[in-house]
Amino acid sequence: MNDRNDFICLHCGAPVSSEACGTRHRNHCPHCLHSRHVDMHSGDRACLCRGVMEPIALYQKADGELMLLHRCTVCGMIKANRVAGDDDPEALCKLVPEVGQICS
Amino acid sequence: MYNHQEETLLQTYGWQQCHAQSFIPYQEQGYQAYRIVREGKGLYWGFDGEKELLLRRSGSFQNREDLGVQNPPVIGDWCAVLPYGEEQGLIEGVLERTSAFHKSSAGDRERVDVSSSVVAANIDKAAIVQDIRNDFNLRKTERFLSLLHADGIPAILILTKCDLVEEAELYPRRVQARFSDLPVFLVDSLSGKGLEELAASLAERSTLMVLGSSGAGKSTLLNSLCGKRVAKTQEVRSSDGRGRHTTTSRQLHLLPNGALLLDTPGLRSVGMNTSSSEVEDSFEDIALLASQCRFADCTHTGEPGCAVQQALLGGELEQDRYLNYLKLRSEAQSWEEVLNMRKQKDKHLGKLLYHYRREGLHER
């Protein structure tokens, strides 16, 4: 880890590289899918909240793109982030209970 | 006419061409120009670069004021003064203002006799001062910006006591995510951090008015910029970090770099004394979105085809900014209603008086 945007996940402690497949900005941990409330607009790092954001849902846009919904545990803000190509499939499945049952 | 040396002295205190023009009729009658540099408890002090006088309004000035054809003088005003005695003068007229800042208090909605009054004149720029730890509030900043925008006064934001928070540099970034054009200065008045950059941004002979809540650090900032104690200060309350209303009068100070700083008492509340259209104009991003709404009179509160709501859902518009916009607009609308009620009341009274004068008191 030598890029200044690399980080250690606050939730699971895993080291995370800033490079992510399928999205310009790494905005959540690919292992536990948790994020941190640091942006007002994507990548600006202007938010003062800095709370941990938990993944609450997965949804598919009309164009087929998979999006992850996060909710901040401090201020309650809900944000949508694109699913990255290296996100843990099991963690993603757990967000969709019916699919999770099939996978397990 | 003033000679060059006298004119230069006046210019040090913000004298401009428009003031010189409006002063010509008074000069021919032997008046002198003084700028009101201190105001408090009904008294005024004027300064012309050399001498300070205690000023009061002349009889004819007060008469014109009572008739409603003369604005009362406020701090920052250039006045035509007739000196008398050693240290006193009579104000005969107020010269043309380049700008005027109006203020009313929130919570005055029920009173029909409330007025939004000019509290300062000839202001070139306003600084919204906030204590970064206890007083940082984007909604309040937005409120100030809306008022200043209505008066045509550009603004800057000064965040004081930046040594009391970690990662203080995050705060300007947060502000600029919401107000991309607003210059933000991080200062620590006690250690001097950030003061040089702030002083460099103040033009010589320009007047900066500092606004903010009690305890924000306005007077401490002034003392640090002057390099000496020119204003009284006190520590904030330990229980909640709020101020003790130490500054009780408005005063104009000349800084070492040639700029002028107007120190004001802390504001308890700031009411919207502008029209709703001026509030809408001050939210430029929302105004731009509003032009794309399906309906021209869209109120952005749920109408179909509302571009503002769409931007909100898409994350392009901050929810807090949108909610504050609705709140300020609603306050401005109720202010307009108050003004209309007052106008109706005056009109009704005027008609009644006219009728009595014309028909006589004994008839109806």
Side-chain angles (χ1 to χ4, degrees):
Chain A
M1 282 182 60
N2 48 17
D3 187 317
R4 68 188 189 95
N5 288 323
D6 296 343
F7 59 90
I8 304 284
C9 176
L10 279 181
H11 184 252
C12 67
V16 180
S17 163
S18 61
E19 285 174 15
C21 305
T23 177
R24 257 176 306 169
H25 304 282
R26 169 73 77 185
N27 52 51
H28 59 267
C29 171
H31 309 292
C32 65
L33 305 182
H34 279 65
S35 181
R36 202 174 173 200
H37 195 186
V38 293
D39 288 342
M40 292 306 301
H41 303 288
S42 186
D44 68 2
R45 300 294 187 262
C47 184
L48 296 174
C49 176
R50 322 299 271 180
V52 171
M53 297 189 86
E54 57 183 358
I56 56 171
L58 193 64
Y59 74 95
Q60 191 172 35
K61 285 165 69 174
D63 60 3
E65 193 172 0
L66 273 181
M67 301 294 285
L68 203 48
L69 271 188
H70 284 104
R71 178 173 54 211
C72 180
T73 54
V74 172
C75 70
M77 170 73 89
I78 293 178
K79 280 183 172 265
N81 291 307
R82 217 182 265 170
V83 167
D86 56 352
D87 283 347
D88 182 5
E90 271 192 42
L92 287 170
C93 284
K94 280 183 188 157
L95 290 172
V96 188
E98 299 81 8
V99 175
Q101 279 170 12
I102 294 167
C103 287
S104 63
Chain B
M1 294 290 288
Y2 276 118
N3 63 35
H4 177 73
Q5 191 181 358
E6 287 164 338
E7 190 110 12
T8 308
L9 267 177
L10 292 177
Q11 283 169 355
T12 308
Y13 269 80
W15 181 258
Q16 291 181 38
Q17 190 57 32
C18 58
H19 302 127
Q21 280 297 114
S22 66
F23 184 61
I24 291 171
Y26 294 102
Q27 192 166 29
E28 288 161 4
Q29 297 172 56
Y31 291 97
Q32 293 177 19
Y34 279 78
R35 188 168 192 190
I36 296 180
V37 294
R38 192 153 48 116
E39 179 197 17
K41 299 173 186 171
L43 298 175
Y44 305 98
W45 283 262
F47 194 67
D48 68 349
E50 266 188 319
K51 210 167 37 167
E52 187 172 285
L53 299 182
L54 175 62
L55 303 176
R56 48 175 60 84
R57 292 165 283 183
S58 69
S60 58
F61 187 98
Q62 287 203 45
N63 195 31
R64 293 197 306 275
E65 221 183 292
D66 292 340
L67 287 172
V69 296
Q70 173 67 61
N71 292 321
V74 295
I75 188 147
D77 264 328
W78 282 98
C79 300
V81 169
L82 190 67
Y84 72 90
E86 281 290 318
E87 292 171 349
Q88 296 189 63
L90 284 175
I91 298 173
E92 188 53 46
V94 173
L95 306 184
E96 187 187 324
R97 293 168 172 163
T98 55
S99 63
F101 177 62
H102 298 77
K103 186 188 96 64
S104 74
S105 291
D108 285 340
R109 300 287 144 239
E110 294 77 36
R111 292 169 45 203
V112 183
D113 61 344
V114 75
S115 60
S116 110
S117 49
V118 177
V119 296
N122 300 314
I123 304 299
D124 297 303
K125 203 186 282 190
I128 304 164
V129 179
Q130 289 182 350
D131 171 353
I132 201 172
R133 189 175 58 166
N134 297 313
D135 191 31
F136 180 68
N137 186 328
L138 290 175
R139 284 202 178 200
K140 202 188 284 187
T141 307
E142 220 155 37
R143 187 177 280 264
F144 275 121
L145 287 175
S146 199
L147 284 178
L148 292 166
H149 182 271
D151 287 332
I153 300 172
I156 62 174
L157 178 64
I158 302 176
L159 298 174
T160 58
K161 311 182 193 179
C162 66
D163 56 313
L164 299 179
V165 295
E166 287 174 15
E167 296 182 292
E169 61 281 355
L170 281 179
Y171 288 76
R173 223 185 289 169
R174 177 65 187 95
V175 172
Q176 270 157 356
R178 185 121 151 201
F179 312 109
S180 52
D181 294 333
L182 180 65
V184 184
F185 295 89
L186 271 179
V187 303
D188 172 14
S189 302
L190 296 181
S191 70
K193 181 180 167 192
L195 289 179
E196 211 174 295
E197 197 189 330
L198 174 61
S201 72
L202 304 177
E204 201 183 332
R205 299 174 183 179
S206 68
T207 304
L208 176 78
M209 174 178 63
V210 288
L211 295 170
S213 304
S214 180
K218 301 180 292 300
S219 300
T220 308
L221 178 66
L222 165 66
N223 290 340
S224 301
L225 286 170
C226 285
K228 57 183 175 179
R229 190 179 157 89
V230 295
K232 270 194 280 186
T233 58
Q234 281 191 82
E235 286 202 4
V236 295
R237 299 196 308 214
S238 53
S239 54
D240 56 6
R242 291 171 89 167
R244 297 176 194 268
H245 299 283
T246 310
T247 306
T248 53
S249 62
R250 298 182 186 99
Q251 196 163 353
L252 201 58
H253 299 269
L254 182 64
L255 301 180
N257 68 348
L260 294 141
L261 195 143
L262 171 53
D263 192 15
T264 60
L267 297 170
R268 281 191 187 85
S269 60
V270 183
M272 293 310 294
N273 56 10
T274 60
S275 66
S276 53
S277 58
E278 277 167 342
V279 168
E280 285 166 6
D281 286 342
S282 68
F283 285 78
E284 287 167 1
D285 51 345
I286 295 180
L288 195 62
L289 288 166
S291 65
Q292 297 161 27
C293 292
R294 190 195 294 179
F295 301 114
D297 59 346
C298 184
T299 61
H300 322 304
T301 49
E303 291 93 336
C306 176
V308 174
Q309 294 262 303
Q310 211 163 342
L312 193 60
L313 289 168
E316 293 155 35
L317 180 63
E318 272 186 56
Q319 186 191 35
D320 192 60
R321 182 163 169 80
Y322 165 74
L323 292 173
N324 203 29
Y325 161 78
L326 291 182
K327 183 166 194 254
L328 297 185
R329 191 181 66 177
S330 157
E331 281 185 30
Q333 280 166 350
S334 68
W335 173 253
E336 283 172 331
E337 279 165 22
V338 165
L339 287 183
N340 273 335
M341 258 188 348
R342 197 189 309 154
K343 218 190 263 184
Q344 292 303 322
K345 186 182 162 192
D346 289 345
K347 197 174 168 185
H348 178 74
L349 190 63
K351 272 187 179 166
L352 209 58
L353 286 173
Y354 172 78
H355 185 84
Y356 276 132
R357 274 199 305 272
R358 197 183 156 92
E359 305 290 339
L361 286 172
H362 57 281
E363 289 185 50
R364 184 58 210 255

